[in-house]
Amino acid sequence: MHLTSRRRGAELEDAILAAGWEVLTEHGYGGFTYEAVAARAGTSRPVLYRRWSQRHDLLQATLRRNWMAQPIAVPDTGDLREDAIGVLRNADTARSHMITTMSVLLLEYFRETGTSFSELRDVLRPPGLATPFERLVARAVERGELTAAPRSSRVVNLPFDLFRHEMFMTLRPVPEETIVEIIDDVWLPLLDRRGS
């Protein structure tokens, strides 16, 4: 019998979380059990329990690993409109499959925990990290493209909210014309009014 070397630390955790994502996408939240993840990772349930005492903790760690493995590139062209459209295009490429998959696979999780996708997103997002649209607006203010008027987080991040809504409603990638419409017809006019 061929024996492999025992995995430890980050190597073992990566294997477990990769296995967790495979189990989740193949079997949904109902099939996302310690037993299934341990078997797929080639380890034991006690190893998982030592790291994540609750199934929800293991799920969040699995989602966080895959969420952060697909970062959204934030362009810096020197033009707010082009950068904003670029962010949504990049989000569509990097996250559309994951967001639609999660919305379908995690219905039972949300029902069981009484939480929402918004609350899960807050758990997955690293604390203190500016959102892509917060970064875009700050850069536009520095360039003088926007005034330094106060803007609520809801206004600044509205493109992502509309983008996610479109994705959840259609369970498909967001078309280019919708991305442009979100930026040109909704967001930029709203920023101008708030900044004037």
Side-chain angles (χ1 to χ4, degrees), residues 128-139:
L129 184 67
T131 68
F133 282 93
E134 289 167 351
R135 291 163 58 193
L136 294 188
V137 167
R139 289 196 315 226

Side-chain angles (χ1 to χ4, degrees), residues 10-30:
E11 181 188 5
L12 176 59
E13 188 164 306
D14 280 347
I16 292 168
L17 297 179
W21 181 250
E22 291 170 6
V23 168
L24 180 65
T25 55
E26 289 174 21
H27 304 288
Y29 180 68

Side-chain angles (χ1 to χ4, degrees), residues 116-131:
S116 66
F117 187 83
S118 176
E119 291 167 296
L120 178 61
R121 184 192 62 205
D122 291 342
V123 169
L124 300 181
R125 183 186 299 159
L129 184 67
T131 68

Side-chain angles (χ1 to χ4, degrees), residues 21-102:
W21 181 250
E22 291 170 6
V23 168
L24 180 65
T25 55
E26 289 174 21
H27 304 288
Y29 180 68
F32 185 83
T33 63
Y34 283 105
E35 293 84 354
V37 174
R40 180 68 61 97
T43 189
S44 66
R45 286 191 320 171
V47 169
L48 273 64
Y49 282 121
R50 280 196 294 273
R51 287 170 170 76
W52 304 281
S53 61
Q54 302 285 326
R55 182 166 73 135
H56 301 153
D57 298 331
L58 175 58
L59 176 72
Q60 289 174 6
T62 297
L63 295 174
R64 188 178 299 110
R65 176 189 183 271
N66 284 278
W67 190 261
M68 298 312 293
Q70 301 172 52
I72 298 170
V74 180
D76 189 1
T77 66
D79 180 79
L80 178 62
R81 177 184 182 273
E82 291 306 311
D83 290 348
I85 289 171
V87 165
L88 291 186
R89 282 181 186 141
N90 294 341
D92 201 47
T93 301
R95 297 264 174 86
S96 63
H97 176 71
M98 184 173 191
I99 289 174
T100 54
T101 299
M102 285 170 55

Side-chain angles (χ1 to χ4, degrees), residues 106-119:
L106 297 180
L107 289 175
E108 187 180 336
Y109 164 79
F110 293 132
R111 209 170 22 250
E112 183 180 298
T113 60
T115 59
S116 66
F117 187 83
S118 176
E119 291 167 296

